[in-house]
């Protein structure tokens, strides 16, 4: 089944060329079904790239998905045009009284800042609180995962000796969790970050369950509240060339970033990277949509199964 997106969203043409089933708003209005409502809070600088990456993953499911793109209002984007943002993106004030079956909150290049020093921390904290009563299940990616663990469970992040950068193998734990159905014993995931949440701190929190862990990259996947909150420490949505683009960008900036590990064949940047993580990424998002969203969310989307009170500070 398709992902429903706005009629003129620029990445629509790219998705169609990749033989990915997308449906524009005009066609979708003629179908008498209840689509799954998914909100994507896109915190990445180049928003079109992240739109494309996540929509690729959401398309590989038999469910029809209605996507709402969201941005923060307290941060001025420098890498995405104002016209694109005004045309295709909502802000929190636009959607705060809506309910969603699922939500994805992306990473952001602000890891080296303290959480409270991020210019949209107050806003995203409000969104984290709102998710408890307005979204059935949320996937938090990379920085958003670390930030959410800090917000909900007071778990700190720690600075790594150098940037964790590359493709890392993960061992599956707690295989009975539906999010891991169909996974091999080990699977790859891209990581690109300067900070981590340690295994020790996650284990100490009884509300969290570790689902996958890497010897090199630490915890890659954990969850809480039976899948209402899913924390993904890497970037399973990344395309084949994303790490190469980041590597070249860092070199131009003189950041001294090491070559991404386990990425280029024979560590030769001139060779085309081999994609080894796409199947696991597709499985992750498909399992999330099926077992933690579709099978759980109410048919009448006017609240979540856990309550629908609107805090006073949302007025």
């Amino acid at each position: 089944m398709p992902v429903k997106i706005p009629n003129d969203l620029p990445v629509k043409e790219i998705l169609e060329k990749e033989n990915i089933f997308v449906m524009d708003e005009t066609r979708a209005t003629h179908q008498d079904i209840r689509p799954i409502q998914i909100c994507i809070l896109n915190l990445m600088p180049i928003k079109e790239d992240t739109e494309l990456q996540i929509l690729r993953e959401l398309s590989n499911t038999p469910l029809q998905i209605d996507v709402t793109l969201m941005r923060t209002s307290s941060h001025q984007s420098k890498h995405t045009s104002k016209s694109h943002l005004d045309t295709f993106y909502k802000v929190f004030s636009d959607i705060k009284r809506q309910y969603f079956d699922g939500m994805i909150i992306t990473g952001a290049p602000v890891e080296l800042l303290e959480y409270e020093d991020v210019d949209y921390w107050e806003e995203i904290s409000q969104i984290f609180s709102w998710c408890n009563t307005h979204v059935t299940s949320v996937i938090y990616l990379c920085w958003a995962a670390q930030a959410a663990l800090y917000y909900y469970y007071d778990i700190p992040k720690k600075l790594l000796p150098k940037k964790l950068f590359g493709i890392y193998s993960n061992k599956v734990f707690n295989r009975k969790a539906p999010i891991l159905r169909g996974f091999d014993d080990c699977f790859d995931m891209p990581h690109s970050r300067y900070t981590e949440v340690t295994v020790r701190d996650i284990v100490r929190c009884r509300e969290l369950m570790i689902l996958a862990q890497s010897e090199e990259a630490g915890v890659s996947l954990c969850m809480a509240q039976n899948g209402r909150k899913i924390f993904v420490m890497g970037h399973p949505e990344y395309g084949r060339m994303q790490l190469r683009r980041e590597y070249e960008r860092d070199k131009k900036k003189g950041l001294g970033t090491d070559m991404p590990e386990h990425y280029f064949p024979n560590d030769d940047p001139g060779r085309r990277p081999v994609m080894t993580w796409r199947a696991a990424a597709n499985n992750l998002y498909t399992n999330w949509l099926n077992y933690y969203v579709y099978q759980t969310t109410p048919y009448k989307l006017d609240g979540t199964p856990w309550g629908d009170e609107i805090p006073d500070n949302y007025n």
Side-chain angles (χ1 to χ4, degrees):
M1 291 293 285
V3 176
K4 177 191 161 194
I5 58 176
N7 291 337
D8 300 320
L9 189 69
V11 300
K12 178 175 181 285
E13 183 178 350
I14 300 174
L15 291 167
E16 289 175 334
K17 287 180 179 178
E18 295 179 2
N19 199 30
I20 290 175
F21 191 5
V22 294
M23 178 183 293
D24 63 28
E25 294 167 315
T26 303
R27 181 177 175 188
T29 56
H30 292 86
Q31 293 200 328
D32 187 21
I33 63 174
R34 151 77 156 88
I36 298 296
Q37 300 292 327
I38 300 294
C39 181
I40 301 174
L41 174 54
N42 190 350
L43 303 175
M44 294 294 278
I46 305 176
K47 300 202 182 300
E48 294 96 328
D49 287 353
T50 306
E51 293 164 13
L52 180 60
Q53 292 163 1
I54 293 179
L55 290 173
R56 280 183 182 131
E57 303 303 333
L58 295 181
S59 70
N60 195 34
T61 169
L63 305 172
Q64 181 174 320
I65 300 165
D66 189 346
V67 170
T68 297
L69 297 173
M70 180 182 172
R71 62 178 176 87
T72 57
S73 60
S74 46
H75 175 78
Q76 185 67 40
S77 179
K78 299 177 181 178
H79 302 281
T80 301
S81 71
K82 185 177 184 300
S83 63
H84 184 87
L85 296 175
D86 290 345
T87 302
F88 300 112
Y89 277 77
K90 306 288 187 181
V91 295
F92 184 51
S93 60
D94 297 326
I95 59 93
K96 66 183 180 182
R97 293 188 177 274
Q98 292 179 231
Y99 295 88
F100 292 89
D101 300 300
M103 187 168 185
I104 298 169
I105 304 180
T106 75
V110 293
E111 298 165 75
L112 297 179
L113 296 174
E114 296 297 327
Y115 293 118
E116 291 81 2
D117 292 336
V118 175
D119 58 5
Y120 49 82
W121 179 250
E122 182 177 347
E123 181 179 5
I124 202 168
S125 295
Q126 193 175 35
I127 293 169
F128 286 163
S129 176
W130 169 86
C131 286
N132 284 330
T133 53
H134 287 69
V135 186
T136 301
S137 178
V138 184
I139 286 183
Y140 305 87
L141 295 171
C142 199
W143 178 84
Q146 296 183 8
L149 288 169
Y150 175 73
Y151 175 83
Y152 293 118
Y153 307 109
D154 200 28
I155 299 177
K157 64 181 178 181
K158 294 189 176 179
L159 184 65
L160 293 166
K162 65 176 183 177
K163 185 176 184 178
L164 183 73
F165 191 41
I167 310 298
Y168 300 96
S169 178
N170 300 272
K171 183 178 180 181
V172 166
F173 296 100
N174 294 298
R175 182 172 290 282
K176 291 184 179 179
I179 194 73
L180 294 174
R181 286 179 182 168
F183 272 72
D184 294 324
D185 290 340
C186 296
F187 67 94
D188 288 346
M189 182 184 293
H191 287 261
S192 177
R193 51 186 167 87
Y194 292 94
T195 57
E196 68 170 349
V197 177
T198 68
V199 176
R200 178 179 296 180
D201 285 337
I202 291 175
V203 169
R204 284 175 176 170
C205 182
R206 294 184 178 181
E207 297 181 59
L208 295 170
M209 174 188 293
I210 295 176
L211 300 171
Q213 184 175 333
S214 166
E215 291 185 3
E216 296 177 274
V219 174
S220 287
L221 182 64
C222 65
M223 75 176 187
Q225 297 179 291
N226 293 320
R228 285 211 64 208
K229 296 180 175 70
I230 296 175
F231 307 95
V232 184
M233 305 301 181
H235 287 283
E237 78 283 358
Y238 269 13
R240 183 192 306 270
M241 308 306 291
Q242 182 65 33
L243 291 182
R244 169 182 273 178
R245 288 195 291 269
E246 292 186 9
Y247 178 52
E248 293 173 348
R249 176 202 65 196
D250 286 2
K251 283 200 304 181
K252 288 181 180 178
K253 291 183 177 180
L255 298 179
T257 302
D258 290 342
M259 182 186 305
E261 298 184 284
H262 320 301
Y263 180 59
F264 295 115
N266 297 325
D267 287 336
D268 181 355
R271 296 184 62 179
R272 179 179 172 86
V274 176
M275 179 170 280
T276 60
W277 62 94
R278 174 58 59 80
N282 287 342
N283 210 17
L284 176 71
Y285 283 98
T286 298
N287 286 346
W288 173 64
L289 286 168
N290 184 23
Y291 299 116
Y292 298 92
V293 178
Y294 177 71
Q295 301 292 342
T296 305
T297 194
Y299 181 81
K300 187 177 180 183
L301 195 56
D302 56 3
T304 72
W306 302 276
D308 56 2
E309 293 297 321
I310 300 176
D312 292 340
N313 62 348
Y314 293 154
N315 292 329

